[in-house]
Structure formats: C-alpha cells, structure tokens
Amino acid sequence: AFSPNIIAHAGLATNDLPVTVFIFLTFYCYYRCTTHPKNNWNWVLLGLAAGAALCTKFNSLIILPVLLIISFFARNWKAYTPGRIFLSLCGLVVIIFLTYNFTFSEYFISGMTMTLRDVKLGHDNFFLGEHSRNGWRYFYLLSTLICTPLPLLILLILTLLRIITKNQILSRENILFYLPVIILFVVASLSNKQ
C-alpha cells in the first residue's frame, strides 16, 4: 500500500491497476491449475481471470502466449487435458461475452486491432530529457530501479541469491512465479510502446 507506484496510480482513473490485478490472478490461477490439476474450478477461474484481463486492457493479450511458454517449462503435461483447456476457454469467452453484451462485438475486435497496431508503430516518448518514437530498451529496467523502494530491491536481490545458492532456479514453483515476470519485462522492454 505504501509503494510509490501504487500511490502514484491511486488518484488516477486508469485501468492500469485493475489489469495488474487480473494478470496477477491469471498467473496465480495457472499456478493453482498446475498444483491441483484435478480441481476443475481452478481451470474455470483461470479462464475468467484471463478474460477479465483481456477486457480490462487490450495489451494484456500478451498473457496468452506467456501462459503457453510457461506451460512448456512447467513440466506437468498430464494436467493439460482437452477438457480442462476447454473449461479455461469457456471461462475466457464467457467474460468477453458478458463484457460486450453477449456478442463477440466489433468493439472488441477493433480495440484489439488498434492495440496491436499501436504496439507495432509505437508513439512519442519522453524519457530523461530525450524524445523518441521507438522508446528505449532500458526504459523499464531504469524505471524499475528508480521507482522501486530500496528495501524492496534489496529483498528481491536477497531472494534471487537464495534461489541461486540453493540451486532451485529450475524448480517448478520458481519457474511459475518468476518466468512470467521475466517474459513480460523483456517483451515490454523490446516493445515500441513505452
């Protein structure tokens, strides 16, 4: 609650914090699906959370390929039955249909198309006294270092050191928790839209 990023967005009427919550819920539900795959409600909740993220902000579309990538590394292939994947897709479609008044409306399609076009073309950016149309690859790294409180950065470094020294880098839990963050961070850094 006392994070500068949370405080900075608290007074703004944007959808950045809600989409952050839904993306976090999506990956948490995915974690629950891999740890308790027989509970079909986990798969439905995964679809509902992903659908809510997509309906909150179109650029959250990136979570779908990220889920596929971490599925490859999660090494729990027995969990991914066609029925369970269908439950997740049903949850995703239900949320989209409810949001767009029971139609896969042209608003959803046109919004998704505009977002993909904007990501490809980029837009005007201003950072550290410089102007750019394509952004900077170091933008998110430097912004994170500047905006994150020092105690949290120290805690993150200590956590990473502990994982490395305990040789737990490739454990399923660490992959499920850290790989999505790393992928999203790298994709955002390589994007023209910052």
Side-chain angles (χ1 to χ4, degrees), residues 2 4 11 37 39 45 52-53 68 73-74 76 79 81 91 95 103 111 119 122 126 128 130 133 138 171:
F2 296 109
N39 185 347
L45 291 173
L68 288 174
F73 287 101
N76 191 5
T81 64
I95 289 293
T103 61
V119 167
F126 188 77
L128 298 177
E130 296 179 17
R133 181 83 177 154
Y138 57 87
S171 73

Side-chain angles (χ1 to χ4, degrees), residues 137-174:
R137 301 298 172 236
Y138 57 87
F139 174 81
Y140 288 105
L141 178 62
L142 194 55
S143 295
T144 300
L145 292 174
I146 292 171
C147 296
T148 305
L150 193 56
L152 183 56
L153 285 175
I154 292 169
L155 185 64
L156 288 173
I157 291 169
L158 290 175
T159 302
L160 288 174
L161 289 174
R162 183 171 191 276
I163 290 171
I164 291 169
T165 58
K166 296 282 186 180
N167 202 16
Q168 296 176 336
I169 294 173
L170 297 179
S171 73
R172 187 172 70 180
E173 288 77 18
N174 287 332

Side-chain angles (χ1 to χ4, degrees), residues 25-50 84-85 87-89 91:
L25 282 175
T26 299
F27 289 116
Y28 176 73
C29 290
Y30 180 78
Y31 170 74
R32 296 283 301 169
C33 287
T34 60
T35 56
H36 304 290
K38 292 182 180 179
N39 185 347
N40 289 333
W41 284 109
N42 288 334
W43 295 92
V44 173
L45 291 173
L46 171 63
L48 293 174
R84 292 174 182 151
I85 293 170
L87 286 173
S88 291
L89 290 174

